[in-house]
Amino acid sequence: MTELVVQAEAIVEALEARRPGERWAMTAFSRFRCVQLLGAPYEPYDGQLQADPAALFDQAARVVDGLDVSIDQLSWRLALADALRSAAADIRMVQDAHDV
């Protein structure tokens, strides 16, 4: 799931760089929250940048939903799934605004 989030983050960053001045900053909080909850390292991504970042966040959320965690980690799992779905929704909002 960390790989999916890191890939999605790299794709959004590439979109931001190609089209400055768009509304990608509106997605920053939910994306940052995902990275923080995962404890993912913030480093350059070497992989493919041709996927839909919202779909990657959705896929990561499904992985999180399937995690079997202890009761102590349940709130973390719920918060992470919420953050992933929020990031996907925020990205779709910006993509939809761009299509108008």
Side-chain angles (χ1 to χ4, degrees), residues 7 10-11 45-51 56:
Q7 181 182 7
I11 292 168
Y45 179 75
D46 293 348
Q48 180 187 20
L49 297 178
Q50 298 302 318
L56 293 171

Side-chain angles (χ1 to χ4, degrees), residues 5-91:
V5 171
V6 170
Q7 181 182 7
E9 182 64 19
I11 292 168
V12 173
E13 286 179 354
L15 290 169
E16 286 176 315
R18 278 184 288 194
R19 299 186 305 223
E22 289 193 3
R23 299 176 179 162
W24 292 109
M26 295 172 67
T27 69
F29 176 75
S30 57
R31 291 172 23 229
F32 178 76
R33 187 172 162 221
C34 293
V35 171
Q36 289 294 42
L37 285 166
L38 280 172
Y42 200 82
E43 55 191 33
Y45 179 75
D46 293 348
Q48 180 187 20
L49 297 178
Q50 298 302 318
D52 175 14
L56 293 171
F57 277 113
D58 284 336
Q59 185 179 353
R62 288 190 298 276
V63 171
V64 170
D65 289 342
L67 290 178
D68 186 23
V69 298
S70 68
I71 194 74
D72 295 351
Q73 294 181 327
L74 186 58
S75 63
W76 168 82
R77 190 189 83 185
L78 294 171
L80 179 56
D82 178 64
L84 292 164
R85 287 189 176 86
S86 293
D90 291 350
I91 288 168

